[in-house]
């Protein structure tokens, strides 16, 4: 049975279960000393968190049971994230699989694709990356030029992707490529579930402003994808990609960001060097507002409302909130947390860029939500 | 009536700048349903503020009685007397009955009115952006203008979330209402900017909606 409202009495029981489990499962080194951890430690903890989630039965809460999920709805999913935010839990490493690949396969995949890929996302035995952006196709995603040429039994992929997060750790890629040079824009792309463990793929990490190397350039030279790994129809990849992006901008992504916002703002509130505590209180209030906005959107989604109308508002809200929080972190000039704030301040700069820039979100709001013709 | 239903009505009332004590009346009706004993005989508490009597509604057959039950005013008397009445729910804190749970509900409902104020200004701003021509084209074609409309929408949606949250969390309804008023105000500010010089004129009247939000904020916005 799936809940459609937060005041469902079952929600309280579920919440109690989650919170008890999370409190128990969080690694002590994360709970007590997150600020001191380096990127390698963080990744190790995130990977072990993926395993813990799976073993604890909290992976794939809203995914169908026949593919290893729990068969609940978006409300249970959000309750999980709310409770993990209160407890300052880590995020898993397999987030692209859980937030993007999984929902896309559930929405558009064949039975065979669901059986093959979904369980491996849940137990984190496969790590996914998202091969959308290219040097010439960022905000204008439909302009991708990586080619998919039809051959016997599949396609051959050649081209360059960029900003591909976690590609160096990935076994699978959500690949958007141009399958027709004749058909019109938006009807000329195909979407593939591409195997990253084969020849012809060259992954080159790119150093980010925060010093980490999470994203990459990826060169594909004559790489094979079998027909059964085409998702959605041939040349219908744009429509599938839009599904991915509306998921990315969806409640799940926002809920994971709520977890991050909570961690930053809690640290800020307790920081010894905060000379204007009032500012931190305001951020706490805004974080609560974000939480309620997710609740509201999730309830509307469970009631069958179009999701995209809330998605862009949420994206702008979480990214600006976290950016404001880390900016204030820098402003505290705290001697103890200086390195931590410098790192998360820089990391937060990416938030108004990825998942569709905040300018693009504002375009979507005026074009599609307010429906003001250009 | 459910609080949420009253909030929907309140939002609509805000949209049309309904100046009668409709919203306060609905609230009073709700409290009466919930608490027949306290509000005996269909009476609701009123307050005397300065020299004015403050009642939630008036209509034929409504009487204002003092604590001992003696009739002070009734709607049988001159209409002029009632012209001075302002809604009960507009005076939080000054009336013993309007505190706790009820004050929280009043905050949630008047926060919804403020969202309606933001709604109407956004609707008018969109219409203006479609009509007003500069550089040989409607200003709706300029991305800077389009983004102001988007920002007005974002703030308005956040304000509505805050109003809904105020209705669920009585213990921090003051904070929620304050957020709703601030965000509704922010949304209206974008709307005024979209209007240009015309938006600054008394005649066009955007200030009425802004004033209403500021007034409600001063009454229900809490201490922050
Ligand atoms: C940390 C990080 C991780 C990422 N991970 C991935 C990933 O895993 N997979 C992947 O495919 N991509 C990823 N991206 C890429 C991301 O999706 C793109 O950077 C983003 O879509 C913007 O594209 P761009 O960088 O080409 O910028 P551009 O599109 O060139 O934009 C430059 C500026 O112009 C503005 N602009 C562009 N068009 C318009 C318009 N029509 N109206 C108004 N303003 C406009 C933008 O808002 C921006 O401010 C990642 C990016 C970052 C920063």
């Amino acid at each position: 049975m799936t809940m459609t409202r937060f005041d469902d009495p079952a929600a309280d029981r579920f919440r109690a279960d989650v919170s008890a489990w999370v409190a128990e499962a969080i690694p002590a080194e994360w709970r007590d000393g997150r600020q001191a951890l380096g990127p390698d430690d963080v990744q190790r903890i995130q990977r072990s968190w993926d395993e813990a989630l799976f073993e604890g039965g909290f992976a794939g809460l809203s995914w169908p049971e026949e593919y290893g999920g729990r068969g609940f709805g978006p409300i249970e999913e959000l309750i999980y994230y709310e409770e993990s935010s209160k407890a300052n839990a880590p995020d898993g490493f397999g987030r692209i699989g859980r937030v993007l690949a999984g929902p896309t396969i559930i929405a558009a995949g064949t039975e065979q694709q669901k059986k093959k890929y979904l369980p491996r996302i849940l137990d984190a035995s496969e790590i996914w990356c998202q091969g959308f952006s290219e040097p010439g196709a960022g905000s204008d995603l439909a302009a991708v030029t990586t080619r998919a040429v039809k051959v016997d039994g599949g396609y051959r992929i050649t081209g360059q992707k960029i900003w591909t997060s976690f590609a160096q750790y990935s076994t699978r890629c959500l690949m958007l490529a141009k399958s027709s040079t004749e058909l019109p824009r938006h009807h000329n792309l195909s979407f593939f579930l591409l195997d990253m463990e084969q020849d012809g793929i060259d992954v080159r990490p790119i150093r980010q402003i925060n010093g980490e190397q999470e994203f990459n350039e990826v060169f594909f030279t004559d790489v094979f994808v079998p027909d059964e790994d085409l998702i959605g129809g041939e040349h219908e990849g744009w429509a599938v990609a839009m599904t991915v992006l509306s998921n990315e901008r969806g409640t799940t992504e926002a809920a994971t960001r709520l977890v991050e916002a909570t961690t930053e703002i809690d640290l800020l509130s307790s920081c010894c060097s905060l000379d204007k505590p009032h500012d931190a209180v305001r951020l706490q209030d805004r974080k609560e507002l974000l939480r309620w906005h997710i609740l509201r959107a999730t309830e509307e989604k469970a009631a069958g409302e179009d999701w995209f109308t809330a998605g862009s508002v949420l994206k702008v809200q979480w990214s600006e909130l976290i950016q404001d929080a880390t900016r204030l972190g820098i402003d505290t000039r705290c001697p103890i947390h200086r390195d931590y704030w410098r790192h998360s301040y820089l990391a937060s700069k990416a938030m108004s860029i990825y998942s569709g820039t905040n300018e693009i979100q504002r375009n979507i709001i005026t074009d599609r939500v307010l429906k003001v013709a250009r | 009536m459910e609080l949420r239903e009253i909030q929907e009505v309140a939002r609509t009332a805000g949209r049309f700048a309904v100046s009668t004590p409709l919203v306060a009346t609905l609230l009073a009706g709700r409290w009466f349903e919930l608490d027949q004993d306290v509000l005996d005989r269909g009476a609701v508490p009123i307050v005397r503020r300065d020299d004015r009597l403050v009642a939630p509604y008036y209509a034929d057959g409504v009487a204002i009685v003092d604590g001992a039950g003696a009739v002070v005013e009734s709607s049988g008397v001159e209409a002029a007397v009632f012209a001075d009445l302002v809604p009960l729910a507009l005076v939080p804190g000054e009336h013993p009955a309007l505190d706790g749970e009820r004050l929280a509900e009043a905050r949630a409902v008047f926060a919804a009115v403020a969202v309606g104020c933001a709604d109407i200004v956004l609707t008018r701003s969109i219409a203006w952006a479609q009509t007003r021509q500069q550089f040989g084209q409607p200003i709706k074609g300029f991305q800077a203008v389009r983004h102001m409309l988007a920002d007005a929408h974002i703030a308005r949606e956040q304000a509505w979330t805050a109003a809904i949250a105020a209705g669920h969390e009585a213990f921090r309804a003051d904070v929620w209402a304050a957020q709703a008023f601030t965000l509704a105000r922010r949304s209206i500010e974008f709307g005024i900017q979209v209007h240009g010089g015309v938006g600054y004129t008394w005649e066009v009247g955007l200030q009425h909606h802004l004033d209403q939000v500021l007034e409600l904020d001063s009454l229900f916005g809490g201490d922050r």
Side-chain angles (χ1 to χ4, degrees):
Chain A
M1 233 275 294
T2 299
M3 289 179 246
T4 54
R5 292 183 56 89
F6 282 96
D7 46 18
D8 190 321
D12 290 340
R13 288 194 299 277
F14 184 73
R15 189 178 291 281
D17 290 349
V18 177
S19 104
W21 180 82
V22 173
E24 188 77 356
I26 294 185
E29 55 178 329
W30 178 270
R31 193 185 48 227
D32 305 330
R34 192 199 151 189
Q35 299 87 270
L37 296 172
D40 291 345
D41 294 321
V42 171
Q43 190 185 124
R44 176 176 47 77
I45 290 171
Q46 287 180 328
R47 282 180 183 269
S48 71
W49 189 248
D50 279 330
E51 282 166 32
L53 274 181
F54 178 69
E55 276 155 26
F58 290 98
L61 287 172
S62 63
W63 295 13
E65 278 174 289
E66 63 257 53
Y67 312 117
R70 294 289 302 278
F72 300 137
I75 293 196
E76 287 84 347
E77 187 100 42
L78 180 54
I79 290 174
Y80 164 77
Y81 283 112
E82 276 191 276
E83 290 308 310
S84 38
S85 86
K86 281 186 209 154
N88 282 337
D91 193 8
F93 190 68
R95 70 171 284 140
I96 295 194
R98 280 201 318 275
V99 176
L100 298 179
T104 305
I105 294 169
I106 291 170
T110 62
E111 189 55 31
Q112 191 200 2
Q113 288 167 345
K114 291 180 192 170
K115 282 214 178 81
K116 180 169 172 193
Y117 294 118
L118 295 178
R120 297 192 208 163
I121 294 173
L122 292 182
D123 69 11
S125 56
E126 285 210 315
I127 297 296
W128 286 71
C129 62
Q130 179 191 13
F132 281 19
S133 305
E134 296 181 5
S139 298
D140 184 10
L141 181 59
V144 296
T145 55
T146 293
R147 287 283 285 130
V149 177
K150 186 77 190 94
V151 294
D152 203 22
Y155 296 79
R156 293 252 161 219
I157 311 286
T158 301
Q160 182 192 353
K161 295 290 174 184
I162 195 166
W163 322 128
T164 323
S165 303
F166 312 115
Q168 65 272 53
Y169 311 109
S170 298
T171 55
R172 287 272 155 190
C173 174
L174 294 168
M175 160 63 72
L176 190 62
K178 190 167 180 174
S179 49
S180 165
T181 49
E182 266 113 62
L183 288 166
R185 190 174 150 94
H186 296 155
H187 299 281
N188 54 356
L189 308 178
S190 296
F191 198 129
F192 304 97
L193 310 174
L194 182 142
D195 180 3
M196 289 290 282
E197 295 180 308
Q198 55 177 316
D199 291 342
I201 301 178
D202 183 11
V203 178
R204 301 183 195 165
I206 303 173
R207 202 172 158 87
Q208 303 164 175
I209 60 174
N210 64 353
E212 289 180 15
Q213 303 193 357
E214 260 178 17
F215 61 27
N216 305 269
E217 297 181 278
V218 189
F219 297 87
F220 297 86
T221 312
D222 211 23
V223 170
F224 184 70
V225 195
D227 284 330
E228 69 255 29
D229 286 332
L230 170 73
I231 180 166
E234 187 182 43
H235 312 313
E236 286 166 20
W238 178 253
V240 183
M242 289 302 99
T243 314
V244 180
L245 295 184
S246 69
N247 286 324
E248 180 173 23
R249 289 162 195 166
T251 37
T252 314
E253 148 112 299
T256 65
R257 303 304 177 182
L258 175 68
V259 182
E260 283 177 56
T262 307
T263 307
E264 306 294 22
I265 297 169
D266 284 354
L267 176 63
L268 204 48
S269 304
S270 66
C271 184
C272 54
S273 304
L274 191 67
D275 48 53
K276 283 188 263 164
H278 191 73
D279 292 341
V281 172
R282 291 242 158 144
L283 289 172
Q284 290 284 9
D285 291 346
R286 280 172 62 192
K287 189 210 75 191
E288 275 299 293
L289 184 69
L290 170 63
R291 188 172 79 82
W292 272 88
H293 213 94
I294 301 171
L295 285 174
R296 183 189 143 199
T298 306
E299 226 169 62
E300 287 170 2
K301 186 177 171 191
E305 290 268 326
D306 251 355
W307 161 248
F308 79 89
T309 54
S312 296
V313 174
L314 276 174
K315 160 77 213 288
V316 172
Q317 213 175 328
W318 62 251
S319 54
E320 293 181 354
L321 173 60
I322 298 177
Q323 289 181 340
D324 287 348
T326 59
R327 201 176 280 130
L328 185 58
I330 290 282
D331 285 346
T332 60
R333 298 183 173 77
C334 169
I336 301 166
H337 298 136
R338 186 174 45 220
D339 290 346
Y340 176 83
W341 284 125
R342 194 168 295 172
H343 181 271
S344 51
Y345 164 77
L346 289 172
S348 75
K349 290 292 132 234
M351 293 182 166
S352 45
I353 300 171
Y354 58 57
S355 293
T357 71
N358 286 15
E359 290 73 35
I360 293 297
Q361 302 301 340
R362 287 178 165 91
N363 291 349
I364 293 173
I365 289 170
T366 324
D367 294 346
R368 295 181 61 197
V369 183
L370 298 176
K371 298 195 176 72
V372 181
R374 290 197 195 201
Chain B
M1 247 172 138
E2 293 290 327
L3 189 64
R4 180 59 191 270
E5 292 166 343
I6 298 179
Q7 287 186 300
E8 300 280 352
V9 176
R11 182 170 175 179
T12 309
R15 230 173 257 163
F16 293 97
V18 174
S19 62
T20 61
L22 167 72
V23 172
T25 304
L26 292 174
L27 261 180
R30 168 180 163 81
W31 295 338
F32 178 62
E33 269 172 37
L34 293 179
D35 203 354
Q36 304 264 358
D37 289 345
V38 173
L39 304 174
D40 191 23
R41 291 185 299 146
V44 296
I46 62 163
V47 66
R48 192 177 283 277
R49 188 195 194 196
D50 304 329
D51 278 338
R52 293 183 299 172
L53 287 174
V54 176
Y57 56 81
Y58 58 95
D60 277 350
V62 172
I64 296 170
V65 295
D66 65 19
V71 173
V72 178
E73 312 278 4
S74 86
S75 48
V77 299
E78 289 171 60
V81 174
F82 294 97
D84 290 338
L85 301 184
V86 295
L88 167 72
L90 282 179
V91 281
E94 295 188 25
H95 190 279
L98 198 58
D99 56 10
E101 211 36 62
R102 285 193 193 153
L103 177 57
E105 290 198 350
R107 290 191 202 277
V109 164
F110 285 95
V113 174
V115 181
C117 299
D119 285 337
I120 182 65
V121 174
L122 179 53
T123 304
R124 291 183 58 179
S125 305
I126 291 172
W128 178 254
Q130 286 164 333
T131 355
R132 169 67 176 166
Q133 303 244 348
Q134 282 295 278
F135 299 95
Q137 64 171 98
I139 58 168
K140 72 169 184 176
F142 302 123
Q143 194 171 49
V145 171
R146 301 180 70 80
H147 282 193
M148 285 195 276
L149 294 174
D151 282 322
H153 172 77
I154 292 169
R156 180 260 306 261
E157 288 300 305
Q158 291 180 307
W160 183 230
T161 297
I164 293 172
H168 280 83
E169 295 188 342
F171 64 96
R172 67 196 305 271
D174 56 340
V175 178
W176 284 125
Q179 270 188 298
F181 295 126
T182 306
L183 288 160
R185 193 182 70 212
R186 184 176 154 79
S187 180
I188 292 173
E189 287 164 6
F190 284 115
I192 293 175
Q193 182 69 13
V194 165
H195 277 76
V198 151
Y200 195 66
T201 62
W202 189 265
E203 187 183 344
V204 160
L206 297 178
Q207 79 280 3
H208 295 313
H209 308 292
L210 186 55
D211 271 350
Q212 198 177 356
V213 173
L214 295 177
E215 177 66 11
L216 291 173
D217 191 0
S218 70
L219 290 166
F220 295 105
D223 303 328
R224 294 206 224 187

